[in-house]
Amino acid sequence: MLGSAVMVQQLQPHADGKTPLNIFPTICLAALDIIAETAMGTKINAQMHPDLPYVRAVFEVTNIMTTRFIKPWERIDWLFRLLAPKLAQKQDALIKTMHEFTETIIQQRREALINDQQGQQKAAAGELDDLGQKRRMALLDVLLQSNIDGAPLSNEDIREEVDTFMFEGHDTTSSGMSFCLYEISRHPQVQERLINEIEQVLGKDKQRSVTLRELNELKYLECVIKESLRLHPPVPIIGRNFSEDVEIRGKRIPAGTNYSIGIYMLLRDAKYFESPDEFKPERFLNDVDDTTTQAHPYAYIPFSAGPRNCIGQKFAILEMKSTISKTLRHFELLPLGPEPICTLSLVLRSKNGMHMGLRPRS
């Protein structure tokens, strides 16, 4: 992915092998470039413009939403605006910034589709990409050309979908990749085994592109990612609403109840995970191609489960594989800097950043 290649260039000046680096901001911008190019078909070059207002807006909006989540009286919009008018105004301004950003992407892509009739014809004819596979349209292109009952989607309809994919497609993966790189930096034996696998599958050429087949062959890396997601799920709490009465442990939960599920604690349950607080990727070796790890099908659900599970989980795993393997091909990760202080801000983050040292890999 182009985004990870730029990320490596951005990290090079910090790879002195002795200075701790907070890698989260760099990972966040790389993830934003990746989701924009792959899902939206648009290059935004966020890594070359680190002060992009959209990134700051997402960060601050999630903090405001988290505050409203833990204060029930602020969940009611009119009451929130009455009790915290300045915060409400700030929230509105931040949301406006996010909407303007996504609307700009939509407009640019719409103009590109109109002006590039030849490109549309090639896509329709099944043009092959660099890997010899049929080129697929970006999600945004599909939305722009979609119809419901013969009518095209409105700009608002499209923007809502783009907002969802842009936010969820970069913020959650930023958390997942950052925590995973942190765990690798603190476990040298895991890192050594990863390097051996990467060199065996991808070779020693750091610059060559990686194919989908090769990413799927990185089995141990997948175990490492799964174990990191178990210990540090990007979305640590999910909510559900019961459409019918449900009995849980002998107690009846009436229909219409909102129910919060603590994924963070569920994934550290000693009943299903031996030594639950230890980082042990080997626990996934026997079923690396499965999303369940224990006898109970819902013991391992970092992407939730059922009809409301994460629509982008396969994409997220592939993105993490590509970006993490790219990083490890260029750098040795060193256990430098403070330990992360986890905090919930809709997405699992660290209050003090995600620190590690980097040394160029010979």
Side-chain angles (χ1 to χ4, degrees), residues 130-318:
D130 296 337
L131 303 179
Q133 298 175 339
K134 184 176 180 180
R135 190 180 299 278
R136 298 177 183 271
M137 287 196 298
L139 169 68
L140 181 52
D141 294 348
V142 175
L143 294 174
L144 289 170
Q145 298 180 29
S146 295
N147 293 280
I148 296 180
D149 297 329
L153 297 176
S154 68
N155 285 344
E156 184 177 358
D157 291 334
I158 296 174
R159 193 197 68 206
E160 288 177 353
E161 298 299 328
V162 171
D163 280 339
T164 299
F165 274 83
M166 289 295 293
F167 172 74
E168 294 294 345
H170 94 274
D171 212 35
T172 53
T173 51
S174 297
S175 172
M177 288 189 286
S178 298
F179 276 106
C180 190
L181 289 170
Y182 163 79
E183 290 290 357
I184 294 170
S185 73
R186 265 57 180 181
H187 295 85
Q189 293 179 338
V190 170
Q191 186 169 180
E192 182 179 0
R193 184 168 177 177
L194 281 173
I195 286 300
N196 291 335
E197 179 183 67
I198 289 170
E199 290 185 351
Q200 181 179 358
V201 175
L202 306 181
K204 295 188 177 183
D205 182 358
K206 301 176 185 179
Q207 308 303 327
R208 65 180 288 269
S209 300
V210 182
T211 67
L212 178 60
R213 179 187 297 177
E214 289 170 333
L215 287 178
N216 288 329
E217 290 176 3
L218 296 174
K219 301 296 186 181
Y220 185 66
L221 176 55
E222 187 165 333
C223 294
V224 172
I225 291 172
K226 284 188 171 184
E227 178 68 345
S228 179
L229 291 175
R230 185 187 69 82
L231 287 173
H232 314 286
V235 182
I237 298 176
I238 60 173
R240 291 292 184 269
N241 180 271
F242 289 145
S243 59
E244 58 185 43
D245 292 356
V246 176
E247 185 173 308
I248 299 179
R249 295 180 179 177
K251 296 183 178 181
R252 186 180 67 85
I253 311 297
T257 300
N258 290 326
Y259 193 84
S260 296
I261 303 170
I263 291 180
Y264 186 92
M265 299 304 298
L266 177 64
L267 295 177
R268 292 172 182 250
D269 191 338
K271 180 179 179 181
Y272 301 105
F273 301 100
E274 183 181 354
S275 303
D277 295 323
E278 294 182 17
F279 184 74
K280 298 170 63 177
E282 291 73 17
R283 72 173 84 240
F284 291 98
L285 279 174
N286 292 332
D287 49 1
V288 72
D289 294 320
D290 193 3
T291 56
T292 57
T293 62
Q294 305 293 324
H296 199 292
Y298 295 108
Y300 181 77
I301 54 168
F303 294 102
S304 183
R308 297 285 295 177
N309 69 350
C310 175
I311 193 174
Q313 58 181 293
K314 290 184 178 180
F315 176 87
I317 292 294
L318 289 173

Side-chain angles (χ1 to χ4, degrees), residues 17-53:
K18 55 185 179 182
T19 305
L21 168 70
N22 176 17
I23 203 171
F24 181 82
T26 304
I27 293 292
C28 184
L29 292 173
L32 188 56
D33 272 343
I34 290 170
I35 191 64
E37 186 169 357
T38 53
M40 303 303 131
T42 303
K43 294 182 180 181
I44 61 174
N45 298 317
Q47 295 177 86
M48 308 307 294
H49 303 89
D51 296 326
L52 198 68

Side-chain angles (χ1 to χ4, degrees), residues 323-334:
T323 305
I324 292 170
S325 64
K326 184 76 170 181
T327 304
L328 290 174
R329 288 158 74 186
H330 285 81
F331 305 108
E332 178 185 358
L333 308 185
L334 306 173

